[in-house]
Amino acid sequence: MHWHILGAGSLGCLWAARLAAQQHSVYLIMRTANALAHHQAHPYVALSDPQFLHTQHYPVKAQLAEHPQPIKNLVLACKAYDAQAAIGQVAHRLSSDSLVILLQNGLGSQQAVQSMLPNTRCIAASSTEGAYLAAPLHTVFAGQGHIWLGDIVPSVTASAPAQLASLQAAGIPCSWATDIAPVLWRKLAMNCAINPLTVIYNCLNGQLRHYPAQINTLCDELQRLLCRAGQATAACNLHQQVWDVIDNTAANSSSMRQDTLQQRRTEISYITGFACAQSLALECETPTLHTIHRQLQKTLLEQGLPTT
Ligand SMILES: NC(=O)c1ccc[n+]([C@@H]2O[C@H](COP(=O)([O-])OP(=O)(O)OC[C@H]3O[C@@H](n4cnc5c(N)ncnc54)[C@H](OP(=O)(O)O)[C@@H]3O)[C@@H](O)[C@H]2O)c1
């Protein structure tokens, strides 16, 4: 099967390596001619385990967005803030027979991409896998996890696409969700409850134990927002799961804090930004959420990082 992967970063290379290992034809869509030339000198992606005991190289091809080849299966593996621009560059290569899998965290970018591609089946992914780049085109599989996949526009008649079996056969641990919205909203709420505060207090997840009142109030508001958004099932036991994650990942630095410490743009607009916009649109009062969003913007500004 042919797979195009737009975004040769941490997750893009992880998906590319596993598909190439199963003899799929994998094409990375590179951002620049320089990046393409770099790849052509060594046409592989490398995949290492967290301890760097094993590093395997897998052959993949690469091309630029303007390449004329039609795209049948696309994995969009860029950050949420790049998703629309990236899709805009390859939209002419997609058709109503294409499948697009969106790996972006948070909410908002998936719906924006689907609206740019009204005739193409777009599938949102919610992934708990962890990866980072040790070098360009060399990804480290830092954390095992699971991926839920589901149609952005659910339809009672649509079943899982045939490509799901190929992904599973390639060792990508994914399952089909007939309704992906609760999965995405639940993850959004978890991210809103944990990530911004780890940036504001510049702390590890476990150190959030020092702020129980603020976190419980925030969870109350997020629960109300989820219910108002028609996602009552995603709101169940939110407080308990937030505290469980804080305890179980006590020594971890959240992805948003890692981005900030490494002077990288965060996905704030698709996490607290999206939640705040929804709370206004749905007239659901969430004062603590809004305060945390503003504090997060202030912290990012102080560090010279974008606030959107
Ligand atoms: N990494 C993880 O463990 C993990 C886990 C769960 C979810 N996620 C989510 O998955 C998404 C991807 O994360 P990531 O960590 O893989 O990001 P990443 O390492 O930053 O990779 C994104 C890649 O996309 C490329 N890109 C952006 N726009 C492009 C364009 N128009 N054409 C070609 N390439 C383009 C970027 O190139 P440049 O470097 O040139 O910008 C970069 O190589 C994010 O939404 C993230 O939150 C990641």
Side-chain angles (χ1 to χ4, degrees), residues 19-163:
L19 289 166
Q22 289 302 305
Q23 277 71 52
H24 290 273
S25 291
V26 177
Y27 301 84
L28 294 175
I29 298 178
M30 314 299 276
R31 206 201 262 282
T32 63
N34 259 354
L36 181 63
H38 183 267
H39 168 269
Q40 278 165 348
H42 185 74
Y44 298 92
V45 291
L47 172 61
S48 296
D49 62 284
Q51 291 78 34
F52 288 87
L53 297 175
H54 304 284
T55 298
Q56 302 263 26
H57 291 80
Y58 299 96
V60 297
K61 301 181 188 78
Q63 53 187 224
L64 294 174
E66 49 265 33
H67 194 283
Q69 182 188 22
I71 296 177
K72 183 77 173 57
N73 301 302
L74 176 69
V75 178
L76 187 67
C78 61
K79 291 282 174 61
Y81 49 75
D82 280 329
Q84 281 172 272
I87 280 294
Q89 292 178 317
V90 295
H92 62 287
R93 298 173 59 183
L94 297 161
S95 68
S96 54
D97 290 337
S98 305
L99 184 80
V100 179
I101 299 180
L102 305 173
L103 301 187
Q104 288 62 51
N105 204 3
L107 267 172
S109 71
Q110 302 91 336
Q111 294 71 11
V113 166
Q114 177 71 82
S115 66
M116 290 174 73
L117 303 172
N119 301 317
T120 300
R121 189 174 186 185
C122 292
I123 286 176
S126 178
S127 171
T128 56
E129 293 193 304
Y132 69 91
L133 280 188
L137 304 179
H138 180 175
T139 190
V140 181
F141 195 0
Q144 308 271 336
H146 194 80
I147 302 153
W148 285 99
L149 297 168
D151 285 308
I152 292 173
V153 181
S155 129
V156 276
T157 50
S159 49
Q163 292 89 332

Side-chain angles (χ1 to χ4, degrees), residues 107-261:
L107 267 172
S109 71
Q110 302 91 336
Q111 294 71 11
V113 166
Q114 177 71 82
S115 66
M116 290 174 73
L117 303 172
N119 301 317
T120 300
R121 189 174 186 185
C122 292
I123 286 176
S126 178
S127 171
T128 56
E129 293 193 304
Y132 69 91
L133 280 188
L137 304 179
H138 180 175
T139 190
V140 181
F141 195 0
Q144 308 271 336
H146 194 80
I147 302 153
W148 285 99
L149 297 168
D151 285 308
I152 292 173
V153 181
S155 129
V156 276
T157 50
S159 49
Q163 292 89 332
L164 183 73
S166 299
L167 296 174
Q168 290 166 335
I172 297 175
C174 52
S175 309
W176 185 248
T178 47
D179 186 5
I180 194 72
V183 182
L184 297 174
W185 275 92
R186 179 66 165 205
K187 180 134 187 256
L188 176 85
M190 300 296 297
N191 279 334
C192 284
I194 295 174
N195 292 11
L197 290 174
T198 64
V199 175
I200 292 164
Y201 297 126
N202 189 18
C203 70
L204 298 173
N205 291 358
Q207 293 169 303
L208 292 181
R209 272 272 163 216
H210 298 307
Y211 311 98
Q214 192 178 19
I215 290 176
N216 283 329
T217 308
L218 181 57
C219 288
D220 290 342
E221 292 181 8
L222 289 165
Q223 264 190 326
R224 272 206 304 278
L225 176 60
L226 263 53
C227 290
R228 188 70 69 91
Q231 300 296 334
T233 47
C236 283
N237 296 323
L238 181 66
H239 300 63
Q240 187 59 52
Q241 199 188 346
V242 166
W243 288 114
D244 286 349
V245 169
I246 287 172
D247 287 341
N248 296 337
T249 63
N252 291 6
S253 190
S254 77
S255 56
M256 192 179 260
R257 180 169 178 256
Q258 287 177 42
D259 283 341
T260 310
L261 292 177

